[in-house]
Amino acid sequence: MMCLLQQDQAGVLQQDRAGVLRPGRAGQETAEPWSSTTRLRPVARTGDVPLMDIVERHGTPAYVMDETDVRERCRAFRAALPDADILYAAKAFLCRAMATWIRQEGLGLDVCSGGELAVARSAGFPADRIVFHGNAKTPRELLEAVEYGVGRIVVDNLAEITRLAALIPPGRRQQVLLRVVPDVEAGAHGAIRTGGEDQKFGLSIASGDAAEAVSRVLGRPELRLVGLHCHLGSQIRAAEPYERAARVMVEQLAHVRDTYGIVLPQLDLGGGQGIAYLEDERGLTPEAFARTVLKVTRDRCAALDLPMPLLVIEPGRSISGPAGLTLYRVIAVKRTLTRTFVAVDGGMSDNPRPSLYGARYTARLVGRRSAAPARQVTLAGHHCEAGDVIAESVALPADVRPGDVVAVPATGAYHHSMASTYNLTGRPPVIAVADGAARVVVRREDIDDLLRRDVGL
């Protein structure tokens, strides 16, 4: 039976226990961590496609991407920041279908490798809407970016300035941004905090590298400095770190003006906006992010007598993350003296985040109804590692058994993109769903794919 919708004292409509996703107060997400079209009762479905239909047709494990949810999140960023340049961070999740959705929704693309650029090119993504960055871009990658004519390249180190300038054909100028370290620590885990000193990313203000980079770029006629860039980290669920970073970065724009008499027209504040992975969490919405960042940037620019720059942001996880879910088949249920393990046919090869960052997830049984009471279990993977755990302390029905199917939400970012073939396990397919239709956009990696690379005989 469907549970009734509850309303809290703040007037926000909450997610019911059936998993139906409901709108909440303006600027606050209540659909988390499931995508906007996911319904778990009476029949679990996403994009109006029953999840068990996907299981029967495509097997498990399988990534499911909600195209409608992706598009809605792109539009939410555009509505919250109508005058900004919004670039989707391809490292979160990229395939040709995703690149096409991003292009159709009017966003640009932020790539950080030759492979990501190649996918963008193969999908016909406009070069002038691509930004290429990375802390150690190879000479080949820089050449590929220049040859394709990407709109902007983010310079991350001093050596890159000379290397890039030497690749620019006569008569052309390459627009560049300088990645500056604002010394603002933010992010859910130390491994994904990138805005502080003593990181491998960016040019330090304190050491003088940032100022030296400005001078060097301005001295190269092949390059055109159009702005400054920073990136604080990932899975940031509060707006306050962006507020601090914006202040620092506007002050750096003013320093460039006062030193060289040049007003840089762009300010890129990066991405990293966090999402919910558990049902009691809330992500940083585009509205909340925009409200804070726009105010502090305008106020600081006014105080320093600077024109408002073109704001550039790079959301990745916050666009693709909630749109994805992963389907697994239960292989075994094992009870120890203290724990119950529910082992499935995937694991750290398709979701390395729990072992890398201690990330937490929830899960739901799909495919059958159970009247059994819920109990806390450990959702474990099938790899030969004690740390191969997908989710700890997940409430699943006490009668969960081999053959059941479980769905894990919020797996649209840093899952497919970070997947491996550990234990020579092929990577899962990506199934896009929308308006009652499902299609394979990335096929399953099979044994023939794995053997094809092995040329040792």
Side-chain angles (χ1 to χ4, degrees), residues 232-300:
L232 304 184
S234 193
Q235 188 53 7
I236 303 168
R237 294 197 288 130
E240 188 272 337
Y242 295 102
E243 182 178 10
R244 287 188 282 139
R247 286 198 186 97
V248 172
M249 297 300 288
V250 171
E251 288 166 4
Q252 290 304 303
L253 291 176
H255 178 71
V256 172
R257 178 203 57 191
D258 295 344
T259 304
Y260 297 100
I262 297 172
V263 176
L264 299 179
Q266 299 181 25
L267 175 59
D268 189 330
L269 294 177
Q273 295 85 358
I275 66 171
Y277 285 95
L278 304 177
E279 288 165 342
D280 60 353
E281 293 180 340
R282 294 291 178 266
L284 177 58
T285 66
E287 296 86 354
F289 171 83
R291 187 165 53 247
T292 297
V293 167
L294 288 174
K295 183 179 186 307
V296 67
T297 305
R298 286 179 182 137
D299 289 352
R300 201 72 194 112

Side-chain angles (χ1 to χ4, degrees), residues 72-93:
E72 287 175 351
R73 292 177 186 277
C74 290
R75 293 167 191 173
F77 272 102
R78 287 176 53 213
L81 293 154
D83 299 320
D85 187 9
I86 302 168
L87 313 170
Y88 170 68
K91 65 181 181 177
F93 167 70

Side-chain angles (χ1 to χ4, degrees), residues 272-404:
Q273 295 85 358
I275 66 171
Y277 285 95
L278 304 177
E279 288 165 342
D280 60 353
E281 293 180 340
R282 294 291 178 266
L284 177 58
T285 66
E287 296 86 354
F289 171 83
R291 187 165 53 247
T292 297
V293 167
L294 288 174
K295 183 179 186 307
V296 67
T297 305
R298 286 179 182 137
D299 289 352
R300 201 72 194 112
C301 283
L304 295 171
D305 196 26
L306 276 173
M308 181 71 177
L310 170 68
L311 281 180
V312 185
I313 62 166
E314 303 166 357
R317 183 196 312 264
S318 52
I319 287 177
S320 63
L325 62 84
T326 306
L327 297 169
Y328 298 103
R329 179 82 69 178
V330 175
I331 301 300
V333 178
K334 184 184 297 183
R335 295 174 180 85
T336 69
L337 291 177
T338 58
R339 301 167 76 181
T340 296
F341 290 94
V342 176
V344 299
D345 56 358
M348 63 192 302
S349 61
D350 60 76
N351 181 5
R353 296 188 66 254
S355 55
L356 286 175
Y357 312 127
R360 298 179 62 205
Y361 290 84
T362 188
R364 293 288 188 93
L365 180 70
V366 298
R368 71 176 178 90
R369 300 290 296 275
S370 173
R375 68 176 174 203
Q376 299 294 309
V377 304
T378 296
L379 196 65
H382 77 144
H383 294 288
C384 292
E385 295 279 348
D388 180 24
V389 171
I390 297 170
E392 293 276 12
S393 301
V394 173
L396 288 177
D399 64 350
V400 63
R401 54 184 180 258
D404 280 340

Side-chain angles (χ1 to χ4, degrees), residues 188-258:
H189 188 277
I192 51 177
R193 296 174 191 149
T194 59
E197 291 285 350
D198 298 322
Q199 285 283 344
K200 70 175 186 175
F201 299 99
L203 296 149
S204 169
I205 297 171
S207 73
D209 276 0
E212 176 65 17
V214 171
S215 177
R216 291 192 190 185
V217 171
L218 292 178
R220 301 301 307 229
E222 306 91 344
L223 306 179
R224 180 185 171 212
L225 181 61
V226 295
L228 302 181
H229 174 288
C230 72
H231 181 69
L232 304 184
S234 193
Q235 188 53 7
I236 303 168
R237 294 197 288 130
E240 188 272 337
Y242 295 102
E243 182 178 10
R244 287 188 282 139
R247 286 198 186 97
V248 172
M249 297 300 288
V250 171
E251 288 166 4
Q252 290 304 303
L253 291 176
H255 178 71
V256 172
R257 178 203 57 191
D258 295 344

Side-chain angles (χ1 to χ4, degrees), residues 58-77:
H58 302 288
T60 57
Y63 299 118
V64 179
M65 286 297 295
D66 185 343
E67 178 183 345
T68 299
D69 191 83
V70 168
R71 292 182 182 274
E72 287 175 351
R73 292 177 186 277
C74 290
R75 293 167 191 173
F77 272 102

